[in-house]
Structure formats: C-alpha cells, structure tokens
Coordinates of all heavy atoms in Angstrom, one line a residue:
M12 N 0.9 -1.2 0.0 CA -0.1 0.0 0.0 C 0.9 1.2 0.1 O 0.6 2.3 -0.6 CB -0.9 0.0 1.3 CG -1.9 1.1 1.3 SD -3.4 0.5 1.8 CE -4.5 1.6 0.9
H13 N 2.1 1.2 0.7 CA 2.9 2.3 0.7 C 3.4 2.6 -0.7 O 3.4 3.8 -1.2 CB 4.1 2.1 1.6 CG 3.9 2.1 3.1 ND1 3.6 1.0 3.8 CD2 3.6 3.2 4.0 CE1 3.5 1.3 5.0 NE2 3.4 2.6 5.1
T14 N 3.9 1.6 -1.4 CA 4.4 1.8 -2.7 C 3.4 2.3 -3.6 O 3.5 3.3 -4.4 CB 4.9 0.4 -3.2 OG1 5.9 0.0 -2.3 CG2 5.5 0.6 -4.6
Y15 N 2.0 1.8 -3.6 CA 1.0 2.3 -4.4 C 0.7 3.7 -4.2 O 0.6 4.5 -5.1 CB -0.3 1.4 -4.2 CG -1.5 1.9 -5.1 CD1 -1.5 1.5 -6.4 CD2 -2.3 2.9 -4.6 CE1 -2.5 1.9 -7.2 CE2 -3.3 3.4 -5.5 CZ -3.4 2.9 -6.7 OH -4.4 3.4 -7.7
S16 N 0.5 4.1 -3.0 CA 0.3 5.5 -2.6 C 1.4 6.4 -3.1 O 1.2 7.5 -3.6 CB 0.2 5.6 -1.1 OG -1.0 5.0 -0.6
Y17 N 2.7 5.9 -3.0 CA 3.7 6.8 -3.5 C 3.7 6.9 -5.0 O 3.9 8.0 -5.5 CB 5.1 6.1 -3.1 CG 6.3 7.0 -3.4 CD1 6.5 8.2 -2.7 CD2 7.1 6.7 -4.4 CE1 7.6 8.9 -3.0 CE2 8.3 7.5 -4.8 CZ 8.4 8.6 -4.1 OH 9.5 9.3 -4.5
E18 N 3.5 5.8 -5.7 CA 3.5 5.8 -7.1 C 2.2 6.5 -7.8 O 2.3 6.9 -8.8 CB 3.7 4.4 -7.6 CG 5.0 3.8 -7.3 CD 5.2 2.4 -7.9 OE1 4.2 1.8 -8.3 OE2 6.3 1.8 -7.7
H19 N 1.2 6.5 -7.0 CA -0.1 7.1 -7.4 C -0.5 8.2 -6.5 O -1.5 8.2 -5.9 CB -1.2 6.0 -7.5 CG -0.9 4.9 -8.5 ND1 -0.2 3.8 -8.1 CD2 -1.0 4.8 -9.8 CE1 0.0 3.0 -9.1 NE2 -0.5 3.6 -10.2
R20 N 0.3 9.2 -6.5 CA 0.1 10.3 -5.6 C -1.2 11.1 -5.8 O -1.7 11.7 -4.9 CB 1.3 11.3 -5.6 CG 2.6 10.7 -5.2 CD 3.7 11.6 -5.2 NE 4.9 10.9 -5.3 CZ 5.9 11.1 -6.0 NH1 6.1 12.2 -6.6 NH2 7.1 10.2 -5.8
D21 N -1.8 11.0 -6.9 CA -3.0 11.7 -7.2 C -4.2 10.9 -6.7 O -5.3 11.4 -6.7 CB -3.1 12.0 -8.7 CG -2.1 12.9 -9.2 OD1 -1.6 13.8 -8.4 OD2 -1.8 12.9 -10.4
D22 N -4.0 9.7 -6.2 CA -5.1 8.8 -5.9 C -5.4 9.2 -4.4 O -4.9 8.7 -3.5 CB -4.7 7.4 -6.0 CG -6.0 6.4 -5.7 OD1 -7.0 6.9 -5.1 OD2 -5.8 5.3 -6.1
R23 N -6.2 10.2 -4.1 CA -6.5 10.6 -2.7 C -7.2 9.5 -1.9 O -6.9 9.4 -0.7 CB -7.5 11.8 -2.8 CG -6.8 13.1 -3.2 CD -7.7 14.3 -3.0 NE -7.0 15.6 -3.5 CZ -6.2 16.2 -2.6 NH1 -6.1 15.8 -1.3 NH2 -5.7 17.3 -3.1
E24 N -8.0 8.7 -2.5 CA -8.7 7.7 -1.8 C -7.6 6.7 -1.2 O -7.8 6.3 0.0 CB -9.6 6.8 -2.7 CG -10.5 5.9 -2.0 CD -11.6 5.3 -2.8 OE1 -11.9 5.8 -3.9 OE2 -12.0 4.1 -2.5
A25 N -6.7 6.3 -2.0 CA -5.6 5.4 -1.5 C -4.8 6.1 -0.4 O -4.4 5.4 0.6 CB -4.7 5.0 -2.7
F26 N -4.5 7.4 -0.7 CA -3.8 8.1 0.5 C -4.5 8.1 1.7 O -3.9 7.8 2.8 CB -3.5 9.6 0.0 CG -2.9 10.4 1.0 CD1 -1.6 10.3 1.4 CD2 -3.7 11.3 1.8 CE1 -1.0 11.0 2.5 CE2 -3.3 12.0 2.8 CZ -1.9 11.9 3.2
Y27 N -5.8 8.4 1.7 CA -6.5 8.5 3.0 C -6.7 7.1 3.6 O -6.7 6.9 4.9 CB -7.9 9.2 2.7 CG -7.6 10.6 2.7 CD1 -7.9 11.3 1.5 CD2 -7.2 11.4 3.6 CE1 -7.7 12.6 1.3 CE2 -7.0 12.7 3.6 CZ -7.3 13.4 2.4 OH -7.1 14.7 2.3
A28 N -6.8 6.0 2.7 CA -6.9 4.7 3.2 C -5.5 4.3 3.9 O -5.6 3.7 5.1 CB -7.2 3.8 2.1
L29 N -4.5 4.7 3.4 CA -3.2 4.4 4.0 C -3.0 5.2 5.3 O -2.6 4.7 6.4 CB -2.0 4.8 3.0 CG -0.6 4.7 3.6 CD1 -0.3 3.2 4.0 CD2 0.4 5.2 2.6
A30 N -3.5 6.5 5.3 CA -3.3 7.3 6.5 C -4.2 6.7 7.6 O -3.8 6.7 8.8 CB -3.8 8.8 6.2
D31 N -5.5 6.3 7.3 CA -6.3 5.7 8.3 C -5.6 4.4 8.9 O -5.7 4.2 10.1 CB -7.7 5.3 7.8 CG -8.4 6.7 7.4 OD1 -8.1 7.8 7.9 OD2 -9.4 6.6 6.6
R32 N -5.1 3.7 8.0 CA -4.5 2.4 8.4 C -3.3 2.6 9.3 O -3.1 2.0 10.3 CB -4.1 1.6 7.2 CG -3.5 0.3 7.4 CD -3.3 -0.4 6.1 NE -2.3 -1.5 6.3 CZ -1.7 -2.1 5.3 NH1 -2.0 -1.8 4.1 NH2 -0.9 -3.1 5.4
L33 N -2.5 3.6 9.0 CA -1.3 3.9 9.8 C -1.8 4.5 11.1 O -1.1 4.2 12.2 CB -0.4 4.9 9.1 CG 0.3 4.4 7.9 CD1 1.1 5.5 7.2 CD2 1.2 3.2 8.2
M34 N -2.8 5.3 11.1 CA -3.3 5.9 12.5 C -3.9 4.8 13.4 O -3.9 5.0 14.5 CB -4.2 7.0 12.2 CG -3.5 8.2 11.5 SD -2.2 9.0 12.4 CE -3.1 9.7 13.7
A35 N -4.5 3.8 12.8 CA -5.2 2.9 13.5 C -4.3 1.8 14.1 O -4.5 1.2 15.1 CB -6.2 2.1 12.6
K36 N -3.1 1.7 13.6 CA -2.0 0.7 14.1 C -1.4 1.2 15.3 O -1.0 2.4 15.4 CB -1.0 0.5 13.1 CG -1.3 -0.5 11.9 CD -0.2 -0.5 10.9 CE 0.3 -1.9 10.7 NZ 1.4 -1.9 9.8
P37 N -1.3 0.5 16.4 CA -0.6 1.0 17.5 C 1.0 0.9 17.2 O 1.4 0.2 16.2 CB -0.9 -0.1 18.6 CG -1.3 -1.4 17.9 CD -1.9 -0.9 16.5
P38 N 1.8 1.6 18.0 CA 3.2 1.5 17.6 C 3.7 0.1 17.8 O 3.3 -0.6 18.6 CB 3.8 2.4 18.8 CG 2.8 3.1 19.5 CD 1.5 2.5 19.0
S39 N 4.6 -0.2 16.9 CA 5.0 -1.6 16.8 C 5.9 -2.0 17.9 O 6.1 -3.2 18.2 CB 5.7 -1.9 15.5 OG 6.8 -1.0 15.3
A40 N 6.7 -1.0 18.5 CA 7.6 -1.3 19.6 C 7.7 -0.1 20.5 O 7.7 1.0 20.1 CB 8.9 -1.7 19.0
T41 N 7.8 -0.3 21.7 CA 8.2 0.6 22.6 C 9.4 0.3 23.4 O 9.7 -1.0 23.6 CB 7.1 0.9 23.7 OG1 6.7 -0.3 24.4 CG2 5.8 1.4 23.0
Y42 N 10.2 1.2 23.9 CA 11.5 0.9 24.6 C 11.5 1.6 25.9 O 11.1 2.7 26.0 CB 12.6 1.4 23.6 CG 12.6 0.8 22.2 CD1 12.0 1.5 21.2 CD2 13.1 -0.4 22.0 CE1 11.9 0.9 19.9 CE2 13.0 -1.0 20.8 CZ 12.5 -0.4 19.7 OH 12.4 -0.9 18.6
P43 N 12.0 0.9 26.9 CA 12.0 1.5 28.2 C 13.0 2.8 28.2 O 14.0 2.8 27.5 CB 12.6 0.3 29.1 CG 13.2 -0.6 28.2 CD 12.5 -0.4 26.8
S44 N 12.7 3.6 29.1 CA 13.5 4.8 29.2 C 14.9 4.6 29.7 O 15.8 5.3 29.5 CB 12.8 6.0 30.0 OG 12.7 5.4 31.3
S45 N 15.2 3.4 30.2 CA 16.4 3.0 30.8 C 17.5 2.6 29.6 O 18.7 2.6 29.9 CB 16.4 1.9 31.8 OG 15.8 0.8 31.2
M46 N 16.9 2.5 28.4 CA 17.8 2.1 27.3 C 18.5 3.3 26.8 O 17.9 4.4 26.7 CB 17.0 1.4 26.2 CG 16.5 0.1 26.5 SD 15.5 -0.7 25.1 CE 16.8 -1.1 24.1
T47 N 19.7 3.2 26.4 CA 20.5 4.2 25.9 C 20.1 4.4 24.4 O 19.6 3.4 23.8 CB 22.1 3.9 25.9 OG1 22.3 2.8 25.1 CG2 22.5 3.7 27.4
P48 N 20.4 5.5 23.7 CA 20.2 5.6 22.3 C 20.8 4.5 21.5 O 20.2 4.1 20.5 CB 20.6 7.0 21.9 CG 20.6 7.8 23.2 CD 20.9 6.8 24.4
E49 N 22.0 4.2 21.9 CA 22.7 3.2 21.1 C 22.1 1.8 21.3 O 21.9 1.0 20.3 CB 24.2 3.0 21.7 CG 25.1 4.3 21.3 CD 24.8 5.4 22.3 OE1 24.2 5.2 23.4 OE2 25.3 6.5 21.9
E50 N 21.4 1.4 22.4 CA 20.8 0.2 22.7 C 19.5 0.2 21.8 O 19.1 -0.8 21.2 CB 20.4 0.0 24.1 CG 21.7 -0.3 24.9 CD 21.4 -0.3 26.5 OE1 20.4 0.5 26.9 OE2 22.0 -1.1 27.2
I51 N 18.8 1.3 21.8 CA 17.5 1.4 21.0 C 17.9 1.3 19.5 O 17.2 0.7 18.8 CB 16.8 2.8 21.2 CG1 16.3 2.9 22.7 CG2 15.7 3.1 20.2 CD1 15.7 4.3 23.1
H52 N 19.0 2.0 19.0 CA 19.4 1.9 17.7 C 19.6 0.4 17.2 O 19.2 -0.1 16.2 CB 20.6 2.7 17.4 CG 21.1 2.7 16.0 ND1 20.5 3.3 15.0 CD2 22.2 2.1 15.5 CE1 21.1 3.1 13.8 NE2 22.1 2.3 14.2
K53 N 20.4 -0.3 18.2 CA 20.7 -1.7 17.9 C 19.3 -2.6 17.8 O 19.2 -3.3 17.0 CB 21.6 -2.3 18.9 CG 22.0 -3.7 18.6 CD 22.9 -4.3 19.7 CE 23.3 -5.8 19.5 NZ 22.3 -6.6 18.9
A54 N 18.4 -2.3 18.7 CA 17.1 -3.1 18.7 C 16.3 -2.7 17.5 O 15.8 -3.7 16.9 CB 16.3 -2.6 20.0
V55 N 16.4 -1.5 17.0 CA 15.7 -1.2 15.8 C 16.3 -1.9 14.6 O 15.6 -2.5 13.8 CB 15.6 0.4 15.5 CG1 15.1 0.6 14.2 CG2 14.7 1.0 16.7
L56 N 17.6 -1.9 14.5 CA 18.3 -2.6 13.5 C 18.0 -4.1 13.5 O 17.8 -4.7 12.4 CB 19.8 -2.4 13.5 CG 20.3 -0.9 13.2 CD1 21.8 -0.9 13.3 CD2 19.9 -0.5 11.8
D57 N 17.9 -4.7 14.7 CA 17.6 -6.1 14.8 C 16.2 -6.4 14.2 O 16.0 -7.3 13.5 CB 17.7 -6.6 16.3 CG 19.1 -6.7 16.7 OD1 20.1 -6.6 15.9 OD2 19.3 -6.7 18.0
I58 N 15.2 -5.5 14.6 CA 13.9 -5.6 14.1 C 13.9 -5.7 12.6 O 13.2 -6.4 12.0 CB 13.0 -4.6 14.7 CG1 12.7 -4.9 16.1 CG2 11.6 -4.6 14.0 CD1 12.1 -3.8 17.0
I59 N 14.7 -4.6 12.0 CA 14.6 -4.5 10.6 C 15.2 -5.7 9.9 O 14.7 -6.2 8.9 CB 15.4 -3.2 10.2 CG1 14.6 -2.0 10.5 CG2 15.8 -3.2 8.6 CD1 15.5 -0.7 10.5
Q60 N 16.3 -6.3 10.4 CA 16.9 -7.5 9.9 C 15.9 -8.7 10.0 O 15.8 -9.5 9.0 CB 18.1 -7.8 10.6 CG 19.3 -6.9 10.3 CD 20.5 -7.2 11.1 OE1 20.5 -7.9 12.1 NE2 21.7 -6.7 10.7
Q61 N 15.2 -8.8 11.0 CA 14.2 -9.9 11.2 C 13.1 -9.8 10.2 O 12.7 -10.7 9.5 CB 13.5 -9.8 12.6 CG 14.5 -10.3 13.7 CD 13.9 -10.0 15.1 OE1 12.7 -9.6 15.2 NE2 14.6 -10.3 16.1
K62 N 12.7 -8.5 9.9 CA 11.5 -8.3 8.9 C 12.1 -8.6 7.5 O 11.4 -9.2 6.7 CB 11.0 -6.9 9.0 CG 10.2 -6.7 10.3 CD 9.5 -5.4 10.2 CE 8.8 -5.3 11.6 NZ 7.5 -4.4 11.4
R63 N 13.3 -8.3 7.2 CA 13.8 -8.5 5.9 C 14.0 -10.0 5.7 O 13.7 -10.4 4.6 CB 15.3 -7.8 5.8 CG 15.2 -6.3 5.6 CD 16.5 -5.7 5.3 NE 16.4 -4.3 5.1 CZ 17.4 -3.5 5.2 NH1 18.6 -3.9 5.6 NH2 17.2 -2.2 4.9
R64 N 14.5 -10.8 6.7 CA 14.6 -12.2 6.6 C 13.2 -12.9 6.3 O 13.1 -13.7 5.5 CB 15.2 -12.8 7.9 CG 16.7 -12.8 7.8 CD 17.3 -13.5 9.0 NE 18.0 -12.5 9.8 CZ 17.9 -12.3 11.0 NH1 17.1 -13.0 11.8 NH2 18.6 -11.4 11.7
R65 N 12.1 -12.3 7.1 CA 10.9 -12.8 6.9 C 10.3 -12.6 5.4 O 9.5 -13.5 4.9 CB 9.9 -12.3 7.8 CG 9.6 -13.2 9.0 CD 8.5 -12.7 9.9 NE 9.2 -11.9 11.0 CZ 8.7 -10.8 11.5 NH1 7.6 -10.3 11.1 NH2 9.3 -10.1 12.4
H66 N 10.6 -11.5 4.8 CA 10.0 -11.1 3.6 C 10.9 -11.4 2.4 O 10.6 -11.1 1.2 CB 9.7 -9.6 3.6 CG 8.6 -9.3 4.6 ND1 7.3 -9.6 4.4 CD2 8.7 -8.6 5.8 CE1 6.6 -9.3 5.4 NE2 7.4 -8.6 6.3
S67 N 12.2 -11.9 2.6 CA 13.0 -12.2 1.5 C 12.7 -13.5 0.9 O 12.3 -14.5 1.6 CB 14.5 -12.2 2.0 OG 14.7 -13.2 2.9
P68 N 12.9 -13.6 -0.4 CA 12.6 -14.9 -1.0 C 13.6 -16.0 -0.6 O 14.8 -15.7 -0.5 CB 12.7 -14.7 -2.5 CG 13.3 -13.3 -2.6 CD 13.2 -12.6 -1.4
S69 N 13.1 -17.2 -0.4 CA 14.0 -18.2 0.1 C 14.7 -18.9 -1.1 O 14.3 -19.0 -2.3 CB 13.2 -19.3 0.9 OG 12.7 -18.7 2.0

C-alpha cells in the first residue's frame, strides 16, 4: 500500500486509506527509558533485519 500510494500520488482515496490504516495501528515497539540511544538503535536494526529475513525470497 505504501508503494502504491507513493507511485499514485493523485489517488486521494488510496492516500486516505493508508493514512487511516497507519493511524489505527498501535506503535510496533516501545522501548524503556532506561535504554541508551545506542541500545535502541541496535534493537531497531535487529527488528529491521528480522523483517527483511521474513520477507526475503528463500
């Protein structure tokens, strides 16, 4: 949906559908305030790698 909305910027209906969907989703992750910025950065990178592995063709 992100790609479609980006490639079809004039499609307002798709844009609003994407915006509604993003607003309805809760944050995917929260981090305790005791974590340092470096620890948060590493945690985010780990999540990105996990998602890439799940979505990459085998």
Side-chain angles (χ1 to χ4, degrees):
M12 183 140 215
H13 287 99
T14 304
Y15 179 87
S16 295
Y17 183 76
E18 291 175 356
H19 299 91
R20 294 181 200 140
D21 295 334
D22 187 344
R23 288 188 178 272
E24 187 176 338
F26 170 77
Y27 287 114
L29 175 61
D31 289 343
R32 184 173 160 195
L33 291 174
M34 296 301 289
K36 281 176 126 179
S39 59
T41 56
Y42 303 97
S44 60
S45 62
M46 290 179 77
T47 66
E49 292 80 14
E50 291 171 327
I51 293 172
H52 180 73
K53 183 181 179 328
V55 169
L56 290 178
D57 290 344
I58 291 168
I59 291 170
Q60 288 176 345
Q61 289 172 1
K62 288 185 181 214
R63 283 185 179 158
R64 275 187 242 127
R65 260 189 265 143
H66 295 291
S67 66
S69 297

